[in-house]
PDB file of all heavy atoms in Angstrom:
ATOM      1  N   ASP A 641      97.088  93.902 113.063  1.00 86.00           N
ATOM      2  CA  ASP A 641      95.760  94.101 112.353  1.00 86.00           C
ATOM      3  C   ASP A 641      95.944  94.441 110.921  1.00 86.00           C
ATOM      4  O   ASP A 641      95.128  94.091 110.084  1.00 86.00           O
ATOM      5  CB  ASP A 641      94.958  95.225 113.077  1.00 86.00           C
ATOM      6  CG  ASP A 641      94.555  94.817 114.479  1.00 86.00           C
ATOM      7  OD1 ASP A 641      94.327  93.625 114.671  1.00 86.00           O
ATOM      8  OD2 ASP A 641      94.455  95.710 115.374  1.00 86.00           O
ATOM      9  N   GLY A 642      97.006  95.171 110.583  1.00 86.00           N
ATOM     10  CA  GLY A 642      97.277  95.515 109.170  1.00 86.00           C
ATOM     11  C   GLY A 642      96.139  96.383 108.565  1.00 86.00           C
ATOM     12  O   GLY A 642      95.707  96.091 107.485  1.00 86.00           O
ATOM     13  N   THR A 643      95.717  97.403 109.305  1.00 84.00           N
ATOM     14  CA  THR A 643      94.647  98.229 108.766  1.00 84.00           C
ATOM     15  C   THR A 643      95.056  99.684 108.574  1.00 84.00           C
ATOM     16  O   THR A 643      94.176 100.506 108.259  1.00 84.00           O
ATOM     17  CB  THR A 643      93.451  98.222 109.787  1.00 84.00           C
ATOM     18  OG1 THR A 643      93.911  98.532 111.090  1.00 84.00           O
ATOM     19  CG2 THR A 643      92.782  96.869 109.805  1.00 84.00           C
ATOM     20  N   LEU A 644      96.324  99.990 108.725  1.00 87.00           N
ATOM     21  CA  LEU A 644      96.832 101.396 108.536  1.00 87.00           C
ATOM     22  C   LEU A 644      97.804 101.464 107.437  1.00 87.00           C
ATOM     23  O   LEU A 644      98.602 100.545 107.219  1.00 87.00           O
ATOM     24  CB  LEU A 644      97.444 101.892 109.887  1.00 87.00           C
ATOM     25  CG  LEU A 644      96.503 102.197 111.002  1.00 87.00           C
ATOM     26  CD1 LEU A 644      97.383 102.662 112.141  1.00 87.00           C
ATOM     27  CD2 LEU A 644      95.532 103.318 110.575  1.00 87.00           C
ATOM     28  N   PHE A 645      97.789 102.605 106.745  1.00 90.00           N
ATOM     29  CA  PHE A 645      98.807 102.935 105.767  1.00 90.00           C
ATOM     30  C   PHE A 645      99.340 104.317 106.084  1.00 90.00           C
ATOM     31  O   PHE A 645      98.614 105.254 106.180  1.00 90.00           O
ATOM     32  CB  PHE A 645      98.260 102.893 104.370  1.00 90.00           C
ATOM     33  CG  PHE A 645      99.255 103.117 103.225  1.00 90.00           C
ATOM     34  CD1 PHE A 645     100.014 102.059 102.774  1.00 90.00           C
ATOM     35  CD2 PHE A 645      99.523 104.410 102.784  1.00 90.00           C
ATOM     36  CE1 PHE A 645     100.962 102.265 101.792  1.00 90.00           C
ATOM     37  CE2 PHE A 645     100.461 104.605 101.819  1.00 90.00           C
ATOM     38  CZ  PHE A 645     101.181 103.487 101.287  1.00 90.00           C
ATOM     39  N   LEU A 646     100.650 104.460 106.251  1.00 91.00           N
ATOM     40  CA  LEU A 646     101.254 105.722 106.594  1.00 91.00           C
ATOM     41  C   LEU A 646     101.612 106.478 105.293  1.00 91.00           C
ATOM     42  O   LEU A 646     102.484 106.016 104.567  1.00 91.00           O
ATOM     43  CB  LEU A 646     102.558 105.501 107.415  1.00 91.00           C
ATOM     44  CG  LEU A 646     102.334 104.858 108.801  1.00 91.00           C
ATOM     45  CD1 LEU A 646     103.685 104.751 109.486  1.00 91.00           C
ATOM     46  CD2 LEU A 646     101.337 105.551 109.619  1.00 91.00           C
ATOM     47  N   ASN A 647     100.999 107.624 105.127  1.00 88.00           N
ATOM     48  CA  ASN A 647     101.311 108.412 103.930  1.00 88.00           C
ATOM     49  C   ASN A 647     102.537 109.360 104.255  1.00 88.00           C
ATOM     50  O   ASN A 647     103.070 109.245 105.343  1.00 88.00           O
ATOM     51  CB  ASN A 647     100.098 109.204 103.433  1.00 88.00           C
ATOM     52  CG  ASN A 647      99.679 110.250 104.449  1.00 88.00           C
ATOM     53  OD1 ASN A 647     100.193 110.265 105.587  1.00 88.00           O
ATOM     54  ND2 ASN A 647      98.734 111.078 104.071  1.00 88.00           N
ATOM     55  N   GLY A 648     102.832 110.204 103.354  1.00 89.00           N
ATOM     56  CA  GLY A 648     103.971 111.112 103.559  1.00 89.00           C
ATOM     57  C   GLY A 648     103.866 111.948 104.775  1.00 89.00           C
ATOM     58  O   GLY A 648     104.865 112.168 105.540  1.00 89.00           O
TER      59      GLY A 648
END
Side-chain angles (χ1 to χ4, degrees):
D641 293 329
T643 52
L644 286 180
F645 184 86
L646 299 182
N647 66 352

